[in-house]
Amino acid sequence: MTSFDTSPQLNVWRALLALAVVFVMLATTGWTAVRGHRGTTALQASLTAWDHGRLHGHRLPDADASPTLLRRFFASLGAQDRGRLAHRYPLAVGNMDGAPVRLRYQANRIALHRARKVELARMHDSRLSPVGQQDAGRRMERYTSLMAKDRQILAFDPEGSGRVAEVFGDLGRAERVSVVVPGVDTDLVTFRKTYRPYSAPYGMAKSLYAAERTAAPSTRTAVIAWADYTAPSGLGVDAATAMRAEEGAVRLNELLRGLPGYASVSLFCHSYGSVVCGVAARALPQRVSDIAVAASPGMRVRSASHLHTSARVWAMRDATDWIQDVPYLELGGLGHGADPVSAAFGARVLSARGAKGHAGYFEPGTDSLANFAEIGVGSYGSVRCAHDDDGCRADLSGTTGAGRA
């Protein structure tokens, strides 16, 4: 592993390298952060309809009201009225923080069914190119998969490349909740992969859920595969800046504030997802006990203390991960700051033995997955440190997630 070196000569070299990389990105990919203006999306239309809707002659609460208010509103309704709202406004209810979890699953299943019908029609639309028809087919297949009876879809937005969040376990009764925050090239189509399944959000979360159940069979856990932000596409300029992370951080904190119950929450942030978690850290709810980053290009700060969070901060990187060769600096908005596994950063550095490369951290049998699982269930005394001094476990209670490091 490399460490953050503060020597002026090396920092100058890294700065020059960073600028060179950026110029290549600009020449080959264009400034992908610039987006054309879009019309009203299906989700926006559903939210607008909700805001103008009525139930038994009474106005509905604002769609962007606090989760507490919305939770109270839904609790006042009978099952029939809740189901009626899910059918009338499926995208609004399916993405509404504060709505009952199982009602969100029901609403998103309805929304997926409607989106699937749209893509089925597009597959046979002669006005589309063959490539467009193939894209419609891929999306239709993905929607069909997400509609399976055992899938618990917590969020869904078909707009653009698409966003989705899925739950493993019983979120409403969980004693510990884990949220997997993925990196670049994450969308509806790449959410689940057959080849290298543990490199995609679905496989990451499913693997972590199984590992947590093995680590603490008596602990009720739930894991969220959270691909509900617009991630950068490829290693272009979007991936070198914080714009997507800033947007994602807002959405991540909205999710966390809307979670049911009072269970401790751990964030597991991979690659660019660690940038999202770094930007979100300052505003995290107190129930977030841990932030664990893997394969991180930086968290937009110079040290863990600058995250201004009471959560424990953990970091890991496998020795074969190419991310160690990126310039760990921030220059004019480009780059993401210091190396989280460096001694100067101040995170608790964990073993990632066996991870193999940039996308292997959730592979069964690796130290990285085992460490994630121990953090997820609060068994801090069982984590394996990257170094022999056991420094990553210093000042920890060992078996509970109640305390703070």
Side-chain angles (χ1 to χ4, degrees), residues 151-206:
R151 309 292 291 270
Q152 300 181 136
I153 307 305
L154 186 66
F156 166 64
D157 183 359
E159 178 64 18
S161 57
R163 297 196 295 253
V164 64
E166 181 168 4
V167 176
F168 295 85
D170 189 338
L171 185 58
R173 297 180 64 247
E175 299 169 309
R176 304 278 308 192
V177 175
S178 298
V179 181
V180 174
V181 183
V184 300
D185 291 328
T186 296
D187 56 33
L188 270 169
V189 173
T190 62
F191 181 71
R192 183 178 185 179
K193 297 179 181 177
T194 302
Y195 175 69
R196 300 189 70 190
Y198 305 115
S199 67
Y202 175 92
M204 292 176 177
K206 185 176 182 180

Coordinates of all heavy atoms in Angstrom, one line a residue, residues 151-206:
R151 N -37.9 -9.7 -4.4 CA -37.1 -8.5 -4.4 C -37.8 -7.4 -3.6 O -39.1 -7.3 -3.6 CB -36.9 -8.0 -5.8 CG -36.3 -9.0 -6.8 CD -34.9 -9.3 -6.5 NE -34.0 -8.3 -6.8 CZ -33.4 -8.0 -8.0 NH1 -33.7 -8.8 -9.0 NH2 -32.5 -7.1 -8.1
Q152 N -37.1 -6.6 -2.8 CA -37.6 -5.6 -2.0 C -37.0 -4.2 -2.4 O -35.9 -3.9 -2.0 CB -37.3 -5.8 -0.5 CG -37.9 -7.1 0.0 CD -37.5 -7.4 1.5 OE1 -38.4 -7.8 2.3 NE2 -36.3 -7.2 1.9
I153 N -37.7 -3.6 -3.3 CA -37.2 -2.4 -4.0 C -37.6 -1.1 -3.2 O -38.8 -0.8 -3.1 CB -37.7 -2.3 -5.4 CG1 -37.3 -3.6 -6.2 CG2 -37.0 -1.1 -6.1 CD1 -35.9 -4.0 -6.1
L154 N -36.7 -0.5 -2.5 CA -36.9 0.6 -1.7 C -37.0 2.0 -2.4 O -37.7 2.9 -1.9 CB -35.8 0.7 -0.6 CG -36.0 1.8 0.5 CD1 -37.2 1.4 1.4 CD2 -34.7 1.9 1.3
A155 N -36.4 2.0 -3.6 CA -36.4 3.3 -4.4 C -36.3 2.9 -5.9 O -35.5 1.9 -6.2 CB -35.3 4.2 -4.0
F156 N -36.9 3.6 -6.7 CA -36.9 3.3 -8.2 C -37.2 4.6 -8.9 O -38.2 5.3 -8.7 CB -37.8 2.2 -8.5 CG -38.1 2.1 -10.0 CD1 -37.0 1.7 -10.9 CD2 -39.3 2.3 -10.6 CE1 -37.2 1.6 -12.3 CE2 -39.5 2.2 -12.0 CZ -38.5 1.8 -12.8
D157 N -36.3 4.9 -9.9 CA -36.5 6.0 -10.8 C -36.1 5.6 -12.2 O -34.9 5.4 -12.4 CB -35.8 7.3 -10.3 CG -36.0 8.5 -11.2 OD1 -36.8 8.4 -12.2 OD2 -35.5 9.6 -10.9
P158 N -36.9 5.5 -13.2 CA -36.5 5.1 -14.5 C -35.9 6.1 -15.4 O -35.4 5.8 -16.5 CB -37.9 4.6 -15.1 CG -38.9 5.6 -14.5 CD -38.4 5.8 -13.1
E159 N -35.8 7.4 -14.9 CA -35.3 8.4 -15.7 C -33.8 8.3 -16.0 O -33.0 7.8 -15.2 CB -35.5 9.8 -15.0 CG -34.9 11.0 -15.7 CD -35.6 11.3 -17.0 OE1 -36.8 10.8 -17.2 OE2 -35.1 12.0 -17.8
G160 N -33.4 8.6 -17.3 CA -32.0 8.5 -17.7 C -31.5 7.1 -17.6 O -32.1 6.2 -18.0
S161 N -30.3 7.0 -17.0 CA -29.7 5.7 -16.8 C -30.4 4.9 -15.6 O -30.2 3.7 -15.5 CB -28.2 5.8 -16.5 OG -28.0 6.6 -15.4
G162 N -31.2 5.6 -14.9 CA -32.0 4.9 -13.8 C -31.3 4.8 -12.5 O -30.1 4.8 -12.4
R163 N -32.2 4.8 -11.4 CA -31.7 4.7 -10.1 C -32.5 3.7 -9.3 O -33.7 3.5 -9.6 CB -31.8 6.0 -9.3 CG -30.9 7.2 -9.9 CD -30.8 8.3 -8.9 NE -32.0 8.9 -8.6 CZ -32.4 10.2 -9.1 NH1 -31.5 10.8 -9.9 NH2 -33.5 10.7 -8.8
V164 N -31.9 3.0 -8.4 CA -32.6 1.9 -7.6 C -31.9 1.7 -6.3 O -30.7 1.9 -6.1 CB -32.7 0.6 -8.5 CG1 -31.3 0.1 -8.7 CG2 -33.6 -0.4 -7.9
A165 N -32.7 1.3 -5.3 CA -32.2 0.8 -4.0 C -33.0 -0.4 -3.6 O -34.2 -0.5 -3.8 CB -32.4 1.9 -3.0
E166 N -32.3 -1.4 -3.1 CA -32.9 -2.7 -2.8 C -32.5 -3.1 -1.4 O -31.3 -2.9 -0.9 CB -32.5 -3.8 -3.8 CG -33.1 -5.2 -3.5 CD -33.0 -6.1 -4.6 OE1 -32.3 -5.8 -5.6 OE2 -33.5 -7.3 -4.5
V167 N -33.4 -3.8 -0.6 CA -33.2 -4.2 0.7 C -33.1 -5.7 0.8 O -33.8 -6.4 0.2 CB -34.3 -3.7 1.6 CG1 -34.1 -4.2 3.1 CG2 -34.4 -2.2 1.6
F168 N -32.1 -6.1 1.6 CA -31.9 -7.5 2.0 C -32.2 -7.6 3.5 O -31.6 -6.9 4.3 CB -30.5 -8.1 1.7 CG -30.2 -8.1 0.2 CD1 -29.7 -7.0 -0.4 CD2 -30.4 -9.2 -0.5 CE1 -29.5 -7.0 -1.8 CE2 -30.1 -9.3 -1.9 CZ -29.7 -8.1 -2.5
G169 N -33.1 -8.5 3.9 CA -33.5 -8.6 5.3 C -34.7 -7.8 5.6 O -35.4 -7.2 4.7
D170 N -35.1 -7.8 6.9 CA -36.3 -7.1 7.3 C -35.9 -5.7 7.9 O -35.5 -5.6 9.0 CB -37.0 -7.9 8.4 CG -38.3 -7.4 8.8 OD1 -38.6 -6.2 8.6 OD2 -39.1 -8.2 9.4
L171 N -36.0 -4.7 7.0 CA -35.6 -3.4 7.4 C -36.3 -2.8 8.6 O -35.8 -2.1 9.4 CB -35.7 -2.4 6.2 CG -35.1 -1.0 6.3 CD1 -33.7 -1.0 6.7 CD2 -35.4 -0.2 5.0
G172 N -37.6 -3.1 8.7 CA -38.4 -2.6 9.7 C -38.1 -3.1 11.1 O -38.3 -2.4 12.1
R173 N -37.6 -4.3 11.2 CA -37.3 -5.0 12.5 C -35.8 -5.1 12.7 O -35.4 -5.6 13.8 CB -37.9 -6.4 12.5 CG -39.4 -6.4 12.4 CD -40.0 -7.8 12.4 NE -39.7 -8.5 13.7 CZ -38.9 -9.5 13.8 NH1 -38.2 -10.0 12.8 NH2 -38.7 -10.1 15.0
A174 N -34.9 -4.5 11.9 CA -33.5 -4.7 12.0 C -32.9 -4.0 13.2 O -33.4 -2.9 13.6 CB -32.8 -4.2 10.7
E175 N -32.0 -4.7 13.9 CA -31.2 -4.1 15.0 C -30.0 -3.4 14.5 O -29.4 -2.5 15.2 CB -30.8 -5.2 15.9 CG -32.0 -6.0 16.6 CD -31.5 -7.2 17.3 OE1 -30.8 -8.0 16.7 OE2 -31.9 -7.3 18.5
R176 N -29.5 -3.8 13.3 CA -28.3 -3.2 12.7 C -28.6 -3.0 11.2 O -29.1 -4.0 10.6 CB -27.1 -4.0 12.8 CG -26.7 -4.3 14.3 CD -25.9 -3.2 15.0 NE -24.8 -2.7 14.2 CZ -23.8 -1.9 14.7 NH1 -23.9 -1.5 16.0 NH2 -22.8 -1.5 14.0
V177 N -28.4 -1.9 10.6 CA -28.6 -1.6 9.2 C -27.3 -1.2 8.5 O -26.5 -0.4 9.0 CB -29.6 -0.5 9.0 CG1 -29.8 -0.1 7.5 CG2 -31.0 -0.9 9.6
S178 N -27.0 -1.8 7.4 CA -25.8 -1.5 6.6 C -26.3 -0.9 5.2 O -27.2 -1.4 4.7 CB -25.0 -2.8 6.4 OG -24.5 -3.3 7.6
V179 N -25.6 0.1 4.8 CA -25.9 0.7 3.5 C -24.6 0.6 2.6 O -23.6 1.1 3.0 CB -26.3 2.2 3.6 CG1 -26.7 2.8 2.3 CG2 -27.5 2.3 4.6
V180 N -24.7 0.0 1.5 CA -23.6 -0.1 0.5 C -23.8 1.0 -0.5 O -24.8 1.1 -1.2 CB -23.7 -1.5 -0.2 CG1 -22.6 -1.5 -1.3 CG2 -23.5 -2.6 0.8
V181 N -22.7 1.8 -0.6 CA -22.7 3.0 -1.5 C -21.7 2.7 -2.6 O -20.5 2.8 -2.3 CB -22.4 4.3 -0.7 CG1 -22.4 5.5 -1.6 CG2 -23.3 4.5 0.5
P182 N -22.1 2.4 -3.8 CA -21.2 2.1 -4.9 C -20.6 3.3 -5.6 O -21.0 4.4 -5.3 CB -22.1 1.2 -5.8 CG -23.4 1.9 -5.6 CD -23.5 2.3 -4.2
G183 N -19.7 3.0 -6.6 CA -19.0 4.0 -7.3 C -19.5 4.2 -8.7 O -20.7 4.1 -9.0
V184 N -18.5 4.5 -9.6 CA -18.8 4.9 -11.0 C -19.5 3.7 -11.7 O -19.4 2.6 -11.4 CB -17.5 5.2 -11.7 CG1 -16.8 6.4 -11.1 CG2 -16.5 4.1 -11.8
D185 N -20.2 4.1 -12.8 CA -20.8 3.2 -13.7 C -21.9 2.4 -13.0 O -22.1 1.2 -13.4 CB -19.8 2.3 -14.4 CG -18.9 3.0 -15.4 OD1 -19.4 4.0 -16.0 OD2 -17.8 2.6 -15.5
T186 N -22.6 3.0 -12.1 CA -23.7 2.3 -11.4 C -25.0 2.9 -11.9 O -25.2 4.1 -11.8 CB -23.6 2.6 -9.9 OG1 -22.4 1.9 -9.4 CG2 -24.8 2.0 -9.2
D187 N -25.8 2.0 -12.4 CA -27.2 2.4 -12.9 C -28.1 1.2 -12.8 O -27.7 0.2 -12.3 CB -27.1 3.1 -14.3 CG -26.5 2.2 -15.3 OD1 -26.6 1.0 -15.2 OD2 -25.9 2.7 -16.3
L188 N -29.3 1.4 -13.4 CA -30.2 0.2 -13.4 C -29.7 -1.0 -14.1 O -29.9 -2.1 -13.6 CB -31.6 0.7 -14.0 CG -32.6 1.3 -13.1 CD1 -33.7 1.9 -13.9 CD2 -33.2 0.3 -12.1
V189 N -29.1 -0.8 -15.2 CA -28.6 -2.0 -16.0 C -27.5 -2.7 -15.3 O -27.3 -3.9 -15.3 CB -28.3 -1.5 -17.4 CG1 -27.6 -2.7 -18.2 CG2 -29.5 -1.0 -18.2
T190 N -26.5 -1.9 -14.7 CA -25.4 -2.5 -14.1 C -25.6 -2.8 -12.6 O -24.6 -3.2 -11.9 CB -24.1 -1.6 -14.2 OG1 -24.4 -0.3 -13.5 CG2 -23.8 -1.2 -15.7
F191 N -26.8 -2.6 -12.1 CA -27.1 -2.8 -10.7 C -26.8 -4.3 -10.3 O -26.3 -4.5 -9.2 CB -28.5 -2.5 -10.4 CG -29.0 -2.6 -9.0 CD1 -28.5 -1.8 -8.0 CD2 -29.8 -3.7 -8.6 CE1 -28.9 -1.9 -6.7 CE2 -30.2 -3.8 -7.3 CZ -29.8 -2.9 -6.3
R192 N -27.0 -5.2 -11.2 CA -26.8 -6.6 -10.9 C -26.0 -7.2 -12.1 O -26.4 -7.0 -13.2 CB -28.1 -7.4 -10.7 CG -27.9 -8.8 -10.3 CD -29.3 -9.5 -10.0 NE -29.2 -10.9 -9.6 CZ -30.2 -11.6 -9.3 NH1 -31.5 -11.1 -9.4 NH2 -30.0 -12.9 -8.9
K193 N -25.0 -8.0 -11.8 CA -24.2 -8.6 -12.9 C -24.1 -10.1 -12.7 O -24.0 -10.6 -11.6 CB -22.8 -8.0 -12.9 CG -22.7 -6.5 -13.2 CD -21.3 -6.0 -13.1 CE -21.2 -4.5 -13.4 NZ -19.8 -4.0 -13.3
T194 N -24.1 -10.8 -13.8 CA -23.9 -12.2 -13.8 C -22.4 -12.5 -13.8 O -21.9 -13.4 -13.0 CB -24.5 -12.9 -15.1 OG1 -25.9 -12.6 -15.1 CG2 -24.3 -14.4 -15.1
Y195 N -21.6 -11.8 -14.6 CA -20.1 -11.9 -14.5 C -19.6 -11.0 -13.4 O -20.0 -9.9 -13.3 CB -19.5 -11.5 -15.9 CG -18.0 -11.5 -15.9 CD1 -17.3 -12.7 -15.8 CD2 -17.3 -10.3 -16.0 CE1 -15.9 -12.7 -15.9 CE2 -16.0 -10.3 -16.1 CZ -15.3 -11.5 -16.0 OH -13.9 -11.5 -16.0
R196 N -18.8 -11.6 -12.6 CA -18.2 -10.9 -11.4 C -19.3 -10.2 -10.6 O -19.4 -9.0 -10.4 CB -17.2 -9.8 -11.9 CG -16.0 -10.4 -12.7 CD -14.9 -9.4 -12.9 NE -14.3 -9.0 -11.6 CZ -13.4 -8.0 -11.5 NH1 -13.1 -7.2 -12.5 NH2 -12.8 -7.8 -10.3
P197 N -20.2 -11.0 -10.1 CA -21.4 -10.5 -9.4 C -21.1 -9.6 -8.2 O -21.9 -8.7 -7.9 CB -22.2 -11.8 -9.0 CG -21.1 -12.8 -8.9 CD -20.2 -12.5 -10.0
Y198 N -20.0 -9.8 -7.5 CA -19.7 -9.1 -6.3 C -19.1 -7.7 -6.6 O -18.8 -7.0 -5.6 CB -18.8 -9.9 -5.4 CG -19.4 -11.2 -5.0 CD1 -18.8 -12.4 -5.5 CD2 -20.6 -11.4 -4.4 CE1 -19.3 -13.7 -5.2 CE2 -21.2 -12.6 -4.1 CZ -20.5 -13.7 -4.5 OH -21.0 -15.0 -4.3
S199 N -19.0 -7.4 -7.8 CA -18.6 -6.0 -8.2 C -19.7 -5.1 -8.5 O -19.5 -3.9 -8.7 CB -17.7 -6.1 -9.5 OG -18.4 -6.5 -10.6
A200 N -21.0 -5.6 -8.4 CA -22.2 -4.8 -8.6 C -22.9 -4.6 -7.3 O -22.8 -5.4 -6.4 CB -23.0 -5.4 -9.7
P201 N -23.7 -3.5 -7.2 CA -24.3 -3.2 -5.9 C -25.2 -4.4 -5.3 O -25.1 -4.6 -4.1 CB -25.2 -2.0 -6.2 CG -24.5 -1.3 -7.3 CD -23.9 -2.4 -8.1
Y202 N -26.0 -5.0 -6.2 CA -26.8 -6.1 -5.7 C -25.9 -7.2 -5.1 O -26.2 -7.7 -4.0 CB -27.6 -6.7 -6.9 CG -28.4 -7.9 -6.6 CD1 -29.7 -7.8 -6.2 CD2 -27.8 -9.2 -6.7 CE1 -30.5 -9.0 -5.9 CE2 -28.6 -10.4 -6.4 CZ -29.9 -10.2 -6.0 OH -30.6 -11.4 -5.7
G203 N -24.9 -7.6 -5.8 CA -24.0 -8.7 -5.3 C -23.2 -8.3 -4.1 O -23.0 -9.1 -3.2
M204 N -22.8 -7.0 -4.0 CA -22.1 -6.5 -2.8 C -23.0 -6.6 -1.6 O -22.6 -7.1 -0.6 CB -21.7 -5.0 -3.0 CG -20.7 -4.7 -4.1 SD -20.4 -2.9 -4.3 CE -19.1 -2.9 -5.4
A205 N -24.2 -6.1 -1.7 CA -25.1 -6.1 -0.6 C -25.6 -7.5 -0.2 O -25.6 -7.8 1.0 CB -26.4 -5.2 -0.9
K206 N -25.8 -8.4 -1.2 CA -26.2 -9.7 -0.9 C -25.1 -10.5 -0.2 O -25.4 -11.2 0.8 CB -26.6 -10.4 -2.1 CG -27.2 -11.8 -1.9 CD -27.7 -12.5 -3.2 CE -28.3 -13.8 -3.0 NZ -28.7 -14.5 -4.3

